[in-house]
Amino acid sequence: MERLEKEIKNGIENIRSRNFWRVSVFDRLDSTNDYVKSLLSEKSEGEVVVARTQNKGRGRQNRTFYSLDGGLYFSILLHPTDFPIDKITPMSAVAVRRAVKSVFGRDLAIKWVNDLYLNDKKVVGILAESSFLCENVAYVVLGIGINVYEPKEGFAPEISDIAGALEKKFGERRGELLARVLDEIYDCYIGGKDYLDEYIHESYLVGKNVLVKVADESVEGLVKEIDKDCKLVLQTENGERRFLSGEVVKVVV
Ligand code: BTN
């Protein structure tokens, strides 16, 4: 058995939410999100697919998510009936934040909508994609990429200014981290544990000047808060604007 597979098997063995998840580990996939999507007709909620590396890891806007050995790359299949689909990303950002705090003792800041930062560097990206198996049956493929250990070969030059890792030195705690994330997601998704408060208060952006891109529009302003609907509240030259989605393309640190 490969090292990561062993780590993950040990990590998830005794977790509280063990019965909810079915975890498979691969050495290499193109993208765990794409792989889970290809399984929609045969698998059900709770499927978790982990890959040690990805050839074509994807981020939002179809950007590349560099996925060298050292990270934790996985996708989860959910079939939300009671849980609001538009809150899957905020909920999982908080779940990852809690897990990282408990395993590595690090406090990550949440960059609306779907990234987590450590010392001004991106260490986590989340990509939740809805899929429809047949009409009105919505599935969510929730993909999470965590830069746990800095890759031995370093980050690719294109991202070396913005990407960071939880730990510089390689270690063996990816299984423990996955186990913790799964428990935290389960607590919120099934157990109804609160995540909104943390999503609102642990923001990377509040108090910073940013440029937000929504469709064809770019809007500049000062981030006042993340509101209770998880909207970004921006003070612009022309008054206050609230965004439910969009992308912060520039942050003035
Ligand atoms: C982003 O930064 O815009 C989101 C990145 C999401 C990356 C994860 S890694 C596991 C899963 N598989 C993918 O291809 N993407 C997600």
Side-chain angles (χ1 to χ4, degrees), residues 31-33 54 57-60 65 74-75 122 125-126 144-145:
S31 150
T32 55
N33 264 36
Q54 298 181 113
R58 285 187 297 107
R60 293 177 93 212
F65 188 83
F74 62 103
S75 299
K122 173 169 168 171
I126 297 170
I144 300 180

Side-chain angles (χ1 to χ4, degrees), residues 22 35-44 47 77 133:
R22 293 168 307 281
Y35 185 74
V36 169
K37 280 188 194 169
S38 77
L39 299 176
L40 275 187
S41 59
E42 27 178 309
K43 302 288 186 190
S44 52
E47 203 65 32
L77 181 58
L133 186 54

